[in-house]
Amino acid sequence: MTIASSRRAIGAAVWVISLTACGTGSAPPKLANPPVVSTPITVQHAVIPAPSSIVMATGQSFLIDSSTTITVDAPGAQRVEAQHVADQLAALLWAPAERARRAALAAPSGTMQLTLDPAHVELAEEGYRLDVTSTGVRILAATPAGLFYATQSLRQLLPVSVEYPAAAQRVLRVNATTIRDLPRYEWRGAMLDVARHFLPLRDVEHFVDLMALYKLNRLHLHLADDQGWRIEIVSRPNLTAVGGSTQVGGGAGGYYSQREYRELVAYAAARFVTIIPEIDMPGHTNAALASYAALNCDNTARPLYTGTNVGFSSFCVESDSTYALVSDVVRELKALSPGGYFHMGGDEVKTLTPTQYRGFVDRVQGIATANNMRLIGWADIAPARLSPTTIVQHWSKDSLALHVARGGKVIASPGSKTYLDMKYDNATTLGLSWAGRIEVKDVYDWDPTLVTGATPESLLGVEAPLWSETVTKIADAEFLAFPRLAAIAEVGWSERNARAWETFRFRLAAHGPRLQALGVNFYRSPQIPWP
Ligand code: ACM
């Protein structure tokens, strides 16, 4: 592929930033074993995830000043979406009055030009070219997503001050740079467990913003578990009225109305993030079992549950009432989910026989198909009679190989590499440790095919789940997710030979001030030479 060969060709032409480790920032962690960070290392850029190829020219730059304007060139069908990407770039650069002034100035050809041309099939669904020269910025993509990802790379080439609300007359310098970029995997995800502890809509939107900065494109929402049901199902009001009324530890819980959920789906779509709804079943269902007596084989509603045990609950898999409820839920989620995915969970079922369990999964797959939804489940579901179009998500020692053998697609979420709720080290107070203590290097330095045993053809990509037994608020979620999620983003986007821990840690260090500017409560890992 030409992009890979251009990486090798750039050799000595790169503009080299020398980053020298010099301390751990404004909130240094207490270190039991401070790492050795005294060796200066050179990195070529601080873009995360690492692009397929990037060349920075020496001594040349472009100034974004009071005369800079943005123009968009796109075919009719995609013009609105392309313009929306340009508007988001303008909102990053300028205050509202400045944006209006520059829109009025807009020349046929601005000094920043976004071109969407579907004929550039080599850029595929998400690739882009970004050229910054001393006279302007040129972006080319075949899709609106590609344009958006180019603007995220440009954002990371700009000074951190761009992350603060724009001053009226701000001048920003960006070094002359050429990027050619394509993602390795189509599925680059994170998961929030809003069931164990509920997160308000604005917090989830904030998380989407941070995902977009790192070109992540799937947000899986774990919307129901033993402790809470978090999405309004109009035909089944008790699910939220009863099942949504509490959470781990006995707090007030909460849920998203369908109006709010639609708002979130649109907010995420504008940032090229697809929301994946999960309703875990047949286990992890106590909140539903408390809401409707008929879901229990003894026709008795269960009490609400606010502890953190797993494996004790199950729908009555012999009862028609169960499948009537699942049909209502899937039908209503279909209407809310332009992405077309339905995640059925399916993990950790300890009270059913294997035959009962497989029969249940078969029936839910039928319901998803009847509603034109593509089914996803944790890899526990693989022994059922799955269609090859169903997607299986690996998380533990599980049956992934069965699904690979039938030609199915898989997502890599190995607990020991991607579980963001695992503690960083012995000193971390938040989080769990059953899959290990996972520092930034552990999350970064692995290969999804090698760790999961999936074939390259079967692997859709990677996803990092953040379970919330100990996570009560967004600041907690930020602490566990960042900076590990930036590392996962690079595992998902960058080719294996384009990434190396020794350069990543220095690029990541340069993101400390940016995350700080964005108000993110990130973990100051001692493995990273923060400035
Ligand atoms: C899981 O962690 N139980 C999927």
Side-chain angles (χ1 to χ4, degrees):
M1 146 90 44
T2 51
I3 285 176
S5 56
S6 71
R7 161 185 305 287
R8 284 189 289 277
I10 60 180
V14 294
W15 180 81
V16 175
I17 314 166
S18 277
L19 290 177
T20 308
C22 56
T24 50
S26 57
K30 296 239 179 329
L31 304 182
N33 295 301
V36 178
V37 290
S38 57
T39 317
I41 191 163
T42 54
V43 292
Q44 297 163 358
H45 62 88
V47 179
I48 296 176
S52 309
S53 105
I54 176 166
V55 181
M56 303 183 89
T58 320
Q60 293 174 45
S61 57
F62 175 62
L63 278 189
I64 298 175
D65 62 17
S66 61
S67 67
T68 307
T69 57
I70 304 174
T71 53
V72 173
D73 181 10
Q78 283 150 317
R79 197 169 162 87
V80 171
E81 264 194 289
Q83 183 61 49
H84 194 59
V85 173
D87 292 346
Q88 290 184 77
L89 176 60
L92 177 75
L93 298 174
W94 302 309
E98 265 301 289
R99 267 179 264 156
R101 183 182 74 74
R102 285 166 209 257
L105 280 183
S109 156
T111 44
M112 302 177 87
Q113 173 85 32
L114 276 57
T115 303
L116 191 159
D117 183 355
H120 279 273
V121 290
E122 79 284 3
L123 297 174
E125 290 296 313
E126 297 181 300
Y128 65 90
R129 287 168 36 182
L130 168 66
D131 294 286
V132 181
T133 64
S134 55
T135 56
V137 174
R138 296 281 173 272
I139 286 172
L140 175 68
T143 62
L147 290 183
F148 183 76
Y149 294 138
T151 65
Q152 296 310 309
S153 293
L154 177 64
R155 175 182 178 185
Q156 294 188 12
L157 296 171
L158 289 166
V160 168
S161 61
V162 76
E163 306 296 349
Y164 292 100
Q169 295 298 330
R170 180 161 71 178
V171 175
L172 297 161
R173 180 185 296 276
V174 53
N175 282 281
T177 307
T178 303
I179 295 181
R180 304 285 178 268
D181 207 4
L182 276 177
R184 180 178 186 189
Y185 293 117
E186 69 180 79
W187 192 288
R188 305 178 304 277
M191 189 206 84
L192 288 177
D193 171 6
V194 293
R196 267 54 175 272
H197 284 102
F198 182 65
L199 279 179
L201 188 71
R202 297 289 165 246
D203 290 342
V204 180
E205 290 179 348
H206 166 71
F207 197 81
V208 168
D209 289 338
L210 297 174
M211 289 176 65
L213 171 62
Y214 293 110
K215 305 187 178 82
L216 292 159
N217 65 356
R218 301 279 187 271
L219 176 59
H220 167 180
L221 288 180
H222 184 74
L223 288 166
D225 210 302
D226 290 319
Q227 301 86 349
W229 185 286
R230 308 301 180 203
I231 175 70
E232 176 186 24
I233 301 297
V234 174
S235 60
R236 302 287 183 151
N238 286 4
L239 289 172
T240 43
V242 178
S245 66
T246 192
Q247 60 184 9
V248 167
Y255 66 90
Y256 310 116
S257 68
Q258 293 201 355
R259 184 186 56 71
E260 288 173 318
Y261 191 84
R262 276 203 179 84
E263 196 183 303
L264 174 63
V265 166
Y267 186 93
R271 289 149 185 84
F272 301 91
V273 173
T274 301
I275 302 287
I276 311 294
E278 178 191 350
I279 302 293
D280 207 345
M281 60 179 76
H284 289 276
T285 41
N286 192 78
L289 301 175
S291 305
Y292 288 101
L295 300 175
N296 300 277
C297 289
D298 62 5
N299 206 26
T300 306
R302 296 291 178 264
L304 290 167
Y305 181 70
T306 61
T308 57
N309 290 337
V310 300
F312 61 90
S313 58
S314 177
F315 282 154
C316 186
V317 297
E318 264 83 45
S319 164
D320 288 345
S321 301
T322 293
Y323 300 99
L325 178 119
V326 173
S327 294
D328 285 345
V329 168
V330 174
R331 188 188 66 250
E332 293 197 30
L333 283 176
K334 166 67 184 170
L336 297 171
S337 304
Y341 296 101
F342 172 66
H343 198 309
M344 67 165 292
D347 57 319
E348 297 181 305
V349 177
K350 299 184 181 168
T351 60
L352 300 178
T353 65
T355 305
Q356 283 178 312
Y357 175 77
R358 289 195 300 265
F360 177 81
V361 173
D362 288 352
R363 285 191 71 171
V364 174
Q365 180 174 253
I367 291 168
T369 306
N371 283 280
N372 210 13
M373 297 281 267
R374 187 165 180 189
L375 188 71
I376 311 175
W378 298 107
D380 310 47
I381 70 170
R385 276 182 306 168
L386 298 185
S387 150
T389 60
T390 289
I391 298 169
V392 153
Q393 185 167 11
H394 163 82
W395 65 282
S396 185
K397 288 192 182 64
D398 51 36
S399 333
L400 188 82
L402 289 175
H403 198 55
V404 173
R406 63 167 77 93
K409 299 286 188 197
V410 303
I411 301 164
S413 301
S416 61
K417 304 292 180 192
T418 67
Y419 268 35
L420 299 174
D421 57 310
M422 292 301 114
K423 293 176 184 291
Y424 289 95
D425 63 14
N426 289 337
T428 315
T429 51
L430 289 168
L432 306 176
S433 56
W434 63 263
R437 288 174 176 74
I438 308 180
E439 254 292 356
V440 181
K441 184 172 192 288
D442 304 312
V443 170
Y444 183 79
D445 220 0
W446 63 289
D447 189 78
T449 43
L450 293 180
V451 169
T452 60
T455 56
E457 309 74 54
S458 66
L459 197 59
L460 282 180
V462 294
E463 183 181 301
L466 176 43
W467 301 97
S468 71
E469 285 93 335
T470 68
V471 176
T472 62
K473 54 187 184 301
I474 187 68
D476 298 350
E478 288 175 354
F479 183 83
L480 290 170
F482 291 95
R484 289 187 289 201
L485 194 52
I488 290 290
E490 185 151 313
V491 174
W493 180 281
S494 309
E495 289 297 334
R496 190 69 184 95
N497 63 5
R499 53 188 188 90
W501 168 249
E502 275 310 320
T503 54
F504 175 75
R505 57 196 280 270
F506 282 88
R507 279 184 286 121
L508 184 58
H511 282 242
R514 195 170 296 269
L515 291 171
Q516 198 158 352
L518 291 166
V520 178
N521 178 36
F522 67 100
Y523 166 62
R524 270 69 169 175
S525 166
Q527 296 182 330
I528 307 302
W530 306 108

